[in-house]
Amino acid sequence: MSEQEAESWIAPHPPEGGACYRALIWLLDAVSEQFFSSCKHKRAELVARMRDAGTRGARGALALAQQELHNFNRDIRQQAFAFRTRAQSVRIGALRAALQADGGVLGYRLGDAAAEVWVELTDEIGVDEHVRQWKEALPDAAWSPESIIEQVSEQDARDMQRAAHAAGAEDAVGEMANVPTYCHTSVLLQEAVEMMGAAEGKVMVDATLGGGGHSERLLQAGASVWGIDQDPMARAAARQRLASYGEKLHVLAGNFRDVKTLLHSHGVDAVDGVLADLGISSPQVDTAERGFSFMAEGPLDMRMNPSLPRSAADIVNEADETELADILWQYGEERAARAIARRIVQQREHGRITTTTQLARIINSVLPRKGRQHPATRSFQALRIAVNDELGALDDLLSGGLSLLRSGGRMAIITFHSLEDRKVKHFFERVTKPEIDRPEWAQPRPNPEYTARSVTRKPVVPGEAELTANPRSRSAKLRVIEKL
Ligand SMILES: C[S@@+](CC[C@H](N)C(=O)[O-])C[C@H]1O[C@@H](n2cnc3c(N)ncnc32)[C@H](O)[C@@H]1O
């Protein structure tokens, strides 16, 4: 396979300011022993020379060794794309899906037996961890333990994307094809957006960008929006939908628990609104491969951010019985938590539980169906919350979001189940009470956390028309506060 024949793809988003790397990984069975060991020795020698020159402060020698390493890496890359495997591209195909699902990947080239991947570290995981995860997508492949990883500038990463675009059809198609149709009906759209007070000159954070429905309304009202989502599929869809708003929309990859740091790292210290429409989107539930739904056969995954280290399958197969029961009870309020956990542990003895429907059947065997709700509903909710640490992230969003608001700024949160709503309600009560009282105190004392006033005395819920048009909105509750 020549370099020109390699399949390439670029992510539909440019680098966003994180550290960028270029990594070359390859399959061992395509590479001669000699190539592998000479590569290893040469690189070790060059790195040792650089270290030595650095220690001596010999700048000229250091620059020379760096240049040699650069050239050497370039030669290796050229050779790697000439490698062939016996298994050919069948194997590499599985890697393609993993790379496109990794939100940090900016682009890649796949050869017959090697992959060159450009990645930006937008999550808390390092480049080695990304590489490890890609390799895991082909667990049976004989990956070379060596990989060539070089840091590149953000400009280089942008140039790579531009060059790939210019190089032709394959990449542009990759970009478009990778934004599947994203059908999500936004919940409490009118109500939430009106209460946010979006207008020209206002700066809003949409902490759950999703398909961009709420953000679109905020942008239409003239505000600029910082949209956060941990799911690359959602970010790609929102970018595409909202492309016409240009610089008014900034899409950030990350978890909303880091809202403050994310905004600070882009020079934003205060905003006029923070909106969160919690939970998962319809495309996430409806895409069987994401593993959120017991209605469709799919891998037991449930990660909103595909680079999270622990999937639902990892929990189901590795947590001990007590931990499993606690998860099902605390996050699903599942009364049969213990019995389900026990049955899962028994079933694991016959082999790993890997699919959504397999788990649903196990739950069903403990808890036969009664009424309209599927017996697996609560357990699936519990696992999803555990996998994504949804309640922990919500705690951080509430405190981080409030501290980002300037005076008069508003925070609006839409919840979909009682565990979330309880958290929001208690937090809002805590920060909107001027005084606190305790039985042991003679009189109430000023509340040091008093920083906001309540805008919605009772939660706002969908009206008849919305419930009819979108039954998924039935458990939604919107609560809003305003910073004093
Ligand atoms: C209900 S959807 C939002 C839909 C959006 N408001 C719209 O109108 O299109 C929730 C989105 O929030 C994202 N999300 C959930 N928890 C998150 C978290 N902790 N950090 C970042 N994104 C999160 C999910 O990936 C999903 O795309």
Side-chain angles (χ1 to χ4, degrees):
M1 175 179 281
S2 72
E3 272 216 67
Q4 287 70 24
E5 287 168 52
E7 168 194 324
S8 44
W9 177 88
I10 54 165
H13 55 85
E16 292 166 348
C20 298
Y21 290 85
R22 172 159 73 178
L24 180 75
I25 55 179
W26 63 89
L27 295 172
L28 262 185
D29 63 357
V31 185
S32 75
E33 197 57 30
Q34 197 192 3
F35 173 86
F36 177 55
S37 66
S38 75
C39 165
K40 210 167 154 178
H41 286 126
K42 179 74 181 171
R43 277 178 56 79
E45 180 206 312
L46 287 169
V47 170
R49 261 177 55 195
M50 279 165 53
R51 195 176 306 123
D52 175 55
T55 319
R56 288 186 291 114
R59 290 220 206 125
L62 178 63
L64 198 64
Q66 276 171 333
Q67 186 58 43
E68 272 189 54
L69 182 62
H70 178 78
N71 295 345
F72 178 70
N73 287 342
R74 187 199 52 214
D75 293 347
I76 296 283
R77 267 196 302 277
Q78 277 169 2
Q79 292 184 51
F81 277 84
F83 300 154
R84 285 184 179 280
T85 60
R86 284 180 292 279
Q88 300 269 341
S89 41
V90 178
R91 296 231 208 126
I92 250 12
L95 186 60
R96 182 190 299 131
L99 294 174
Q100 292 189 13
D102 181 333
V105 168
L106 297 167
Y108 63 70
R109 282 192 309 149
L110 289 182
D112 204 9
E116 183 195 9
V117 189
W118 291 66
V119 63
E120 180 181 24
L121 304 187
T122 43
D123 287 308
E124 283 127 24
I125 63 171
V127 62
D128 293 331
E129 182 56 17
H130 277 282
V131 169
R132 195 188 61 73
Q133 289 176 6
W134 305 332
K135 287 182 174 176
E136 266 185 7
L138 301 183
D140 301 330
W143 284 113
S144 164
E146 277 281 284
S147 43
I148 295 181
I149 299 175
E150 295 166 284
Q151 184 155 16
V152 292
S153 66
E154 187 179 346
Q155 192 51 47
D156 282 347
R158 283 179 192 277
D159 290 348
M160 174 280 293
Q161 288 195 323
R162 247 194 300 276
H165 258 307
E170 176 91 74
D171 302 325
V173 170
E175 171 180 340
M176 300 313 289
N178 198 41
V179 184
T181 327
Y182 196 99
C183 291
H184 177 83
T185 310
S186 305
V187 171
L188 291 168
L189 185 58
Q190 180 96 355
E191 295 86 340
V193 170
E194 263 172 23
M195 287 192 188
M196 295 283 289
E200 197 63 50
K202 300 259 174 166
V203 180
M204 300 285 165
V205 174
D206 182 350
T208 51
L209 183 61
H214 286 98
S215 281
E216 184 167 52
R217 289 291 183 91
L218 297 170
L219 289 159
Q220 278 166 357
S224 58
V225 173
W226 292 86
I228 303 172
D229 208 295
Q230 57 179 332
D231 184 345
M233 178 172 90
R235 295 196 299 272
R239 268 199 188 93
Q240 197 174 59
R241 173 175 177 170
L242 305 173
S244 61
Y245 293 94
E247 298 286 292
K248 286 211 140 183
L249 172 74
H250 312 266
V251 177
L252 302 179
N255 194 303
F256 60 47
R257 72 186 326 154
D258 303 316
V259 61
K260 224 171 136 176
T261 333
L262 281 168
L263 273 279
H264 282 178
S265 67
H266 286 84
V268 181
D269 294 329
V271 299
D272 302 289
V274 174
L275 168 72
D277 170 19
L278 299 177
I280 43 179
S281 64
S282 304
Q284 285 168 328
V285 191
D286 297 339
T287 306
E289 299 79 55
R290 303 295 301 264
F292 286 105
S293 169
F294 46 79
M295 305 292 282
E297 169 96 28
L300 198 47
D301 192 313
M302 300 196 195
R303 288 172 299 178
M304 291 191 216
N305 171 356
S307 13
L308 282 180
R310 206 156 81 134
S311 71
D314 295 327
I315 297 182
V316 165
N317 289 288
E318 284 152 29
D320 66 29
E321 191 177 319
T322 317
E323 192 193 345
L324 269 177
D326 287 348
I327 289 173
L328 301 183
W329 171 243
Q330 284 173 17
Y331 301 146
E333 300 182 314
E334 173 54 74
R335 283 205 226 129
R338 281 188 193 292
I340 296 175
R342 197 172 319 123
R343 185 65 58 86
I344 289 175
V345 170
Q346 281 163 2
Q347 286 298 317
R348 291 192 320 212
E349 284 171 14
H350 306 295
R352 239 177 118 78
I353 302 164
T354 54
T355 69
T356 48
T357 46
Q358 205 183 347
L359 179 63
R361 277 196 302 274
I362 295 170
I363 297 169
N364 214 175
S365 70
V366 179
L367 208 59
R369 189 174 191 139
K370 272 196 228 140
R372 285 179 53 207
Q373 198 182 54
H374 190 288
T377 307
R378 285 184 299 275
S379 300
F380 269 64
Q381 172 190 301
L383 282 169
R384 196 198 86 199
I385 293 176
V387 167
N388 299 290
D389 186 21
E390 291 181 32
L391 297 178
L394 176 57
D395 280 335
D396 295 343
L397 169 70
L398 291 169
S399 50
L402 181 59
S403 65
L404 258 183
L405 286 181
R406 60 175 122 251
S407 175
R410 289 185 170 191
M411 175 147 70
I413 313 282
I414 303 172
T415 61
F416 288 86
H417 56 77
S418 55
L419 296 171
E420 285 171 351
D421 187 54
R422 225 172 285 153
K423 266 199 184 297
V424 176
K425 183 176 161 203
H426 289 159
F427 179 83
F428 281 10
E429 277 170 5
R430 237 175 59 205
V431 298
T432 53
K433 260 197 268 175
E435 295 180 323
I436 35 179
D437 201 0
R438 299 242 171 94
E440 65 273 23
W441 294 344
Q443 56 192 32
R445 297 182 186 172
N447 174 9
E449 290 189 278
Y450 175 50
T451 41
R453 75 170 186 92
S454 186
V455 177
T456 46
R457 276 201 30 232
K458 283 191 163 179
V460 177
V461 294
E464 288 275 314
E466 179 164 6
L467 287 170
T468 315
N470 180 17
R472 277 182 178 171
S473 69
R474 66 186 170 277
S475 36
K477 284 186 179 161
L478 164 69
R479 295 180 189 269
V480 184
I481 52 172
E482 182 179 290
K483 183 94 170 255
L484 295 173

